[in-house]
Amino acid sequence: MMADNSDLIVSGVSEPAEVVPTPLSLVPHLQNVAILLDIDGTLLDLAPTPREVWVPPGLMETLNTLLQRTSGALALVSGRSLNDIDLIFAPEVYPAVGGHGAEMRLAGGNEADSIKAPPLDKELKRRLAAIAKLSPGILLEDKGYSLALHYRLAPQAEQAIYEEVSRIRAELPGAPIEVLPGKSVCEIKHAGFTKASGVRELMRRAPFEGRKPFFIGDDVTDETVFAIMPDFAGLSFSVGRRALGVDGHFDAPDDVRTFLACLAESGTNKMSR
């Protein structure tokens, strides 16, 4: 749930944040703000499999309103590829940082403006994909720039998955890869780019440049973005957990959606922190 006592919200806190302010007390006028939103576990409720997530009624209308009132400075920031993001939100197409920073699109309807990494090596993918055979219920997701092993349906396989990934990495010490632990998922991607690196590049481009961002995310992979928000005089909020270093938290994606809907409705007003 959101709380009204916004005087408790301070950038760079060292203890877990307890609240988020009401929309009117959160940000300046929307023309000075960039809205950055993770998808799974933040905008959308988690589902047993990645393909089962769904967009609740009214959410795309809210996003479209905020996109308009920020003059295009709203972006989705996700581990999913741009293509996957577009399938989820079809027929709408939003600015986005996809693939954990591997690709970026500045405006809806355009192709990727920047691609930061080649696809994973085919032989490496083959070896990692074989891990899915460890247990029924492990789901393999090939994102091009990364490969994810989802074990929400096979929680008992978590340790075995990470042990096998570690074994493969030990056999390929020169492979430029990074392992990202997530909520019931182990993801392997190229090293050298993150959601934070993608956001940094996004914030150097119009219409995001010069604005104060606020970012909402839920997972370990979002912590890199939490960490850089002070560099832009921005704000960050975690979902479902009280992450360190953020300005506040939401209990669940439904609270995020309610907050954004209120922000969209009040977006024509001048707001102050």
Side-chain angles (χ1 to χ4, degrees), residues 2-10 19-29 33 214 235 237 247 259 262-263 266 269-273:
M2 296 179 293
D4 293 339
N5 44 342
S6 58
D7 57 314
L8 297 179
I9 305 303
V10 181
V19 297
V20 296
T22 57
L24 283 174
S25 65
L26 174 61
V27 292
H29 192 278
V33 169
F214 76 85
L235 299 170
F237 302 90
D247 297 282
F259 170 83
C262 292
L263 185 61
S266 58
N269 299 323
K270 187 175 182 178
M271 298 183 283
S272 60
R273 273 183 74 176

Side-chain angles (χ1 to χ4, degrees), residues 131-186:
I131 297 174
K133 298 178 182 178
L134 287 174
S135 174
I138 299 176
L139 302 178
L140 183 68
E141 182 183 11
D142 185 352
K143 301 181 181 182
Y145 308 111
S146 67
L147 189 143
L149 295 157
H150 297 269
Y151 52 88
R152 189 173 300 276
L153 300 178
Q156 76 284 350
E158 178 179 7
Q159 182 176 346
I161 289 171
Y162 280 98
E163 288 177 350
E164 188 64 13
V165 170
S166 295
R167 185 185 67 80
I168 293 172
R169 290 189 73 189
E171 293 175 359
L172 302 169
I177 58 175
E178 179 182 2
V179 178
L180 299 178
K183 293 180 177 178
S184 298
V185 61
C186 174

Side-chain angles (χ1 to χ4, degrees), residues 54-252:
W54 66 287
V55 179
L59 176 57
M60 288 196 289
E61 181 180 354
T62 293
L63 295 178
N64 291 341
T65 298
L66 291 173
L67 187 67
Q68 178 183 17
R69 291 181 176 170
T70 58
S71 298
L74 176 147
L76 305 177
V77 181
S78 178
R80 291 180 181 265
S81 67
L82 293 183
N83 183 65
D84 203 17
I85 293 170
D86 294 345
L87 290 175
I88 292 171
F89 289 94
E92 304 295 339
V93 179
Y94 295 108
V97 172
H100 296 288
E103 51 184 354
M104 181 184 71
R105 179 174 59 212
L106 294 170
N110 293 340
E111 297 296 322
D113 294 279
S114 178
I115 297 177
K116 286 296 185 182
L120 281 177
D121 177 77
K122 289 183 179 180
E123 177 60 20
L124 175 60
K125 275 188 179 180
R126 185 190 66 78
R127 295 187 63 179
L128 292 170
I131 297 174
K133 298 178 182 178
L134 287 174
S135 174
I138 299 176
L139 302 178
L140 183 68
E141 182 183 11
D142 185 352
K143 301 181 181 182
Y145 308 111
S146 67
L147 189 143
L149 295 157
H150 297 269
Y151 52 88
R152 189 173 300 276
L153 300 178
Q156 76 284 350
E158 178 179 7
Q159 182 176 346
I161 289 171
Y162 280 98
E163 288 177 350
E164 188 64 13
V165 170
S166 295
R167 185 185 67 80
I168 293 172
R169 290 189 73 189
E171 293 175 359
L172 302 169
I177 58 175
E178 179 182 2
V179 178
L180 299 178
K183 293 180 177 178
S184 298
V185 61
C186 174
E187 188 161 355
I188 303 92
K189 71 173 187 64
H190 268 286
F193 62 92
T194 64
K195 286 185 177 182
S197 65
V199 167
R200 283 193 182 278
E201 182 167 354
L202 183 78
M203 294 303 298
R204 290 196 292 264
R205 309 282 193 96
F208 299 89
E209 184 179 15
R211 291 173 177 257
K212 292 185 177 182
F214 76 85
F215 172 70
I216 308 177
D218 74 303
D219 212 344
V220 174
T221 59
D222 298 314
E223 292 178 356
T224 62
V225 185
F226 296 156
I228 67 170
M229 284 297 99
D231 296 347
F232 300 94
L235 299 170
S236 59
F237 302 90
S238 58
V239 182
R241 62 190 179 99
R242 294 161 173 80
L244 291 175
V246 298
D247 297 282
H249 80 276
F250 296 88
D251 287 339

